[in-house]
Every structure is written in C-alpha cells, then in structure tokens.
Amino acid sequence: MGKLRATALRAIALVVVGTGLGGCSLFGIGFGTAQLSAKECMMRAMYFESNRSSPEGMLAVGTVVMNRVDDTRYPKSICGVVGQKNQFAQGVLTRKMTDSGAVLASQMADQVINGARHAGVRSAQHFHTAGLRFPYNNMHYVLEAGGNEFYEKY
C-alpha cells in the first residue's frame, strides 16, 4: 500500500508541475487539467471574440492573434497569446462552446493556422466591440468585422 501511495503522489506532483509549466490549459493550474492545442486556443479566441456566424470576423480575430504571436512583445505561441490575462474574453480558455459557431471556428482556425489572414486587419494587434470609440490619439481604426473594430496603435 505504501509503494502504491508513493507512486500516486509522484503522479499527482507531475500533473501539478506539468500544468503549471504549460502554455495554456483547459481549466487552469490544478488537478484534472487538459492541455489545449494551438488550434483549440485559436478556435476559442475566434468563437468568443467574434460574431459566431461571421467567417470574416473570425478571420480578423485570428489575424490579430497571429500578429501578436509574430511580435516580440507578446508570447510566442497561439495559446500564450490567447491566454494572456485581460486580453481576450473572460473564460476564453475554459467556457464551453455550445453552438454551431464552434464548427465555423474550427474551420477558420485551420485556415489561419495554415496562413490565411484578413487583409483589412493589416498589422493591427487590438480590437474592441464595434460602436465604441475612445479619444486616444494613438489609435488608427482599420476594419470593422464580426461585431468588432480593429485598430493599430502608434
């Protein structure tokens, strides 16, 4: 019994350490976590951040994610970018995707991961809900798509 218990404790320790080191996890750090793939992280960003029926909006969100991945100021992975605190929708990596928008998000994630980009997004790394305007001089709006407005910062 003691040997079995020690083996179980080592396994639990490995799970805890492994999830703490991961780029993104489904439930956060702790027991029972599952690592998400780059595609799953991209799907979730697209699903929760755009109009779920808008391929154009999903492509635009995916383009922003990839623009950030390509910038040294952001994490170097899709899950790292999507999982950054206060950057994407609350619970983006943990909430359930419950409607047919998940199928579209999967298709669009494949396209973005394979190199597709929304030309209108250009080098934008930021977006917010359409219809809002902010009085900052360092913002240049480049596109409205999928219920969001995309902008570049100077």
Side-chain angles (χ1 to χ4, degrees), residues 102-121:
V103 173
L104 179 59
S106 176
Q107 295 166 348
M108 298 308 297
D110 283 335
Q111 289 182 29
V112 170
I113 289 169
N114 288 318
R117 301 292 183 269
H118 193 299
V121 172

Side-chain angles (χ1 to χ4, degrees), residues 53-67:
S53 63
S54 169
E56 180 187 21
M58 288 187 178
L59 182 60
V61 168
T63 301
V64 165
V65 171
M66 296 311 295
N67 286 348

Side-chain angles (χ1 to χ4, degrees), residues 32-97:
T33 61
Q35 295 299 310
L36 295 176
S37 68
K39 178 180 176 177
E40 290 167 322
C41 291
M42 180 65 77
M43 283 175 59
R44 291 176 156 282
M46 294 172 156
Y47 180 89
F48 289 112
E49 292 289 0
S50 70
N51 180 335
R52 294 180 185 143
S53 63
S54 169
E56 180 187 21
M58 288 187 178
L59 182 60
V61 168
T63 301
V64 165
V65 171
M66 296 311 295
N67 286 348
R68 288 183 176 198
V69 167
D70 292 339
D71 187 314
T72 58
R73 296 174 293 178
Y74 294 94
K76 296 282 48 68
S77 71
I78 292 170
C79 288
V81 166
V82 174
Q84 274 194 297
K85 188 175 181 176
N86 300 323
Q87 295 297 303
F88 289 89
Q90 186 174 11
V92 67
L93 297 178
T94 59
R95 291 175 24 210
K96 291 183 180 181
M97 296 184 287

Side-chain angles (χ1 to χ4, degrees), residues 92-143:
V92 67
L93 297 178
T94 59
R95 291 175 24 210
K96 291 183 180 181
M97 296 184 287
T98 58
D99 62 28
S100 62
V103 173
L104 179 59
S106 176
Q107 295 166 348
M108 298 308 297
D110 283 335
Q111 289 182 29
V112 170
I113 289 169
N114 288 318
R117 301 292 183 269
H118 193 299
V121 172
R122 304 189 316 208
S123 62
Q125 296 177 341
H126 308 280
F127 61 91
H128 59 69
T129 303
L132 300 176
R133 285 292 179 192
F134 299 95
Y136 305 117
N137 294 331
N138 67 341
M139 298 169 67
H140 172 69
Y141 289 93
V142 296
L143 176 73

